[in-house]
Amino acid sequence: MSFIEENVQRVQARIRAACERYGREPEDIRLLAVSKTKPVSDILEAHRAGLREFGENYLQEAEAKIAEIAPLPLDPAPQWHFIGPIQSNKTRLISRDFDWVHSVDRFKIARRLGEQRPDDREPLNTLLQVNIDREPQKAGIDLDEIPALAAQIAALPGIRLRGLMAIPAPRSDFDQQRRPLRALRQAFDALRSDHPACDTLSMGMSGDLEAAIAEGSTLLRIGTALFGARAPKTTGNPTP
Ligand SMILES: *Cc1c(COP(=O)(O)O)cnc(C)c1O
């Protein structure tokens, strides 16, 4: 078995064990493979191992990979999620080439994404990014800004508001990990009572997927545990 195949099985076993422990159903939890900085060959290997959804942070890098993979006869076709910071001059390509975007935190960006969504594609599945630990260097809105922004964005053509995403500050203690995730879950429950179509809570990474499952995540974004450590990036945005 290859390194990535083995990792896929290991991560799936972690997900099953956490589901068992916290009374969740594995079918209710999607596994997004975060392939930033990793080559197309790794993505193809993860696809062969059964993964279907891939997350990218850097648009230029993502565009090259999507273009290389698009002509290949992959069945089912991979779904692409944009999970990195969004500059307004990048919305056209994101809206054209991605199925999901997790990192919307401004109305203007959402409006551009919606306007630029090609007519022959389904509305762009959109999550609001919440800066759950209020870290100055991180993107995202505060919890109390969710209702107003959600109401504005839910009304946009070309956009389908699906839920929330957050990247908590790294913590190693399990109970400490759970606290911000629980706050996000509570905000998600409130969001759903106003917007019943919201069904996606994107939280949980390689180091906190168990805590995220315990607190109600429906979509885990996993990089390192699937593809191995990433080399530090020398240009562009810092890797969160
Ligand atoms: C890189 C990244 C991940 C994956 O993190 P790992 O710790 O490698 O699993 C998840 N979400 C976002 C937004 C990222 O940038």
Side-chain angles (χ1 to χ4, degrees):
M1 216 189 297
S2 75
F3 175 69
I4 290 174
E5 259 181 293
E6 240 171 66
N7 287 341
V8 169
Q9 296 204 355
R10 214 173 281 136
V11 168
Q12 286 170 339
R14 279 175 69 185
I15 295 171
R16 279 195 304 274
C19 282
E20 180 99 355
R21 182 161 191 154
Y22 299 104
R24 304 282 314 276
E25 297 298 329
E27 304 80 62
D28 295 339
I29 296 167
R30 287 153 63 190
L31 174 53
L32 176 66
V34 176
S35 45
K36 65 183 175 207
T37 81
K38 298 296 178 181
V40 163
S41 54
D42 282 8
I43 296 175
L44 296 179
E45 206 169 311
H47 187 275
R48 277 195 296 277
L51 302 191
R52 298 295 174 247
E53 301 187 88
F54 297 90
E56 291 281 341
N57 290 55
Y58 312 106
L59 186 61
Q60 223 182 337
E61 177 194 334
E63 287 290 317
K65 292 179 190 173
I66 293 171
E68 194 176 331
I69 290 173
L72 304 179
L74 297 191
D75 185 24
Q79 298 255 306
W80 295 101
H81 295 235
F82 192 79
I83 63 174
I86 306 175
Q87 292 150 5
S88 57
N89 62 343
K90 302 289 171 58
T91 54
R92 186 172 298 280
L93 288 176
I94 292 172
S95 193
R96 188 189 70 183
D97 293 331
F98 285 81
D99 302 288
W100 287 75
V101 50
H102 291 224
S103 38
V104 167
D105 64 359
R106 276 174 293 158
F107 177 67
K108 267 173 69 172
I109 292 286
R111 190 176 58 202
R112 287 173 67 94
L113 288 167
E115 282 168 359
Q116 293 167 343
R117 186 66 169 170
D119 290 337
D120 62 349
R121 298 206 63 179
E122 294 280 297
L124 180 64
N125 296 297
T126 299
L127 306 178
L128 305 184
Q129 181 172 351
V130 178
N131 188 352
I132 192 72
D133 287 308
R134 306 183 79 145
E135 296 170 278
Q137 80 281 13
K138 272 187 195 155
I141 57 175
D142 288 339
L143 285 170
D144 60 9
E145 297 176 299
I146 295 172
L149 187 60
Q152 278 187 307
I153 288 179
L156 288 173
I159 294 286
R160 190 171 287 149
L161 181 65
R162 297 291 293 269
L164 303 177
M165 176 273 234
I167 311 168
R171 299 170 173 88
S172 48
D173 178 79
F174 187 70
D175 292 320
Q176 298 287 329
Q177 288 179 348
R178 286 184 68 160
R179 205 164 302 151
L181 299 169
R182 185 173 316 147
L184 191 70
R185 160 64 185 276
Q186 285 162 355
F188 178 62
D189 289 341
L191 176 71
R192 274 203 292 191
S193 67
D194 290 339
H195 303 276
C198 285
D199 58 1
T200 303
L201 182 54
S202 168
M203 61 186 199
M205 303 178 21
S206 296
D208 66 353
L209 76 85
E210 285 83 4
I213 288 172
E215 294 300 344
S217 170
T218 71
L219 190 159
L220 305 167
R221 306 180 312 268
I222 309 293
T224 309
L226 291 171
F227 297 112
R230 289 178 293 274
K233 238 184 129 65
T234 49
T235 56
N237 293 318
T239 300

